[in-house]
Amino acid sequence: NLAGSPGSTVTVPVRIEVTEAGGVSFQAADYALSFDPARFAVSNARVAGTLLAGFNLVAEIDNSAGVVRVSSYAANPVALANG
């Protein structure tokens, strides 16, 4: 559970768990984040942190439905180890 004051920024961590024994090559992903639109609204989505540094991000924010749909992609893949 995440919390924030009105007008503040809330960082939502997204975890990618690799189950392939030899790891994977990660170059793009589509995912959706759900939230309670009666409690807050989303105004922006961006990449933060080291795994997706250099990735492009396209976000579709639907505050009525309480969903943020995100596509992230990069020109070059990133190697992710198992675990």
Side-chain angles (χ1 to χ4, degrees):
N1 292 329
L2 303 171
S5 301
S8 68
T9 298
V10 176
T11 301
V12 178
V14 175
R15 180 181 172 172
I16 299 171
E17 182 176 355
V18 177
T19 58
E20 293 291 323
V24 297
S25 179
F26 180 76
Q27 190 167 6
D30 296 315
Y31 42 96
L33 306 170
S34 299
F35 62 92
D36 182 351
R39 304 208 44 172
F40 67 95
V42 175
S43 62
N44 188 14
R46 64 178 181 246
V47 173
T50 57
L51 175 63
L52 296 180
F55 274 63
N56 297 297
L57 180 101
V58 177
E60 176 189 327
I61 300 167
D62 185 341
N63 281 309
S64 297
V67 178
V68 179
R69 289 176 186 82
V70 179
S71 293
S72 54
Y73 58 95
N76 299 306
V78 174
L80 300 178
N82 176 280

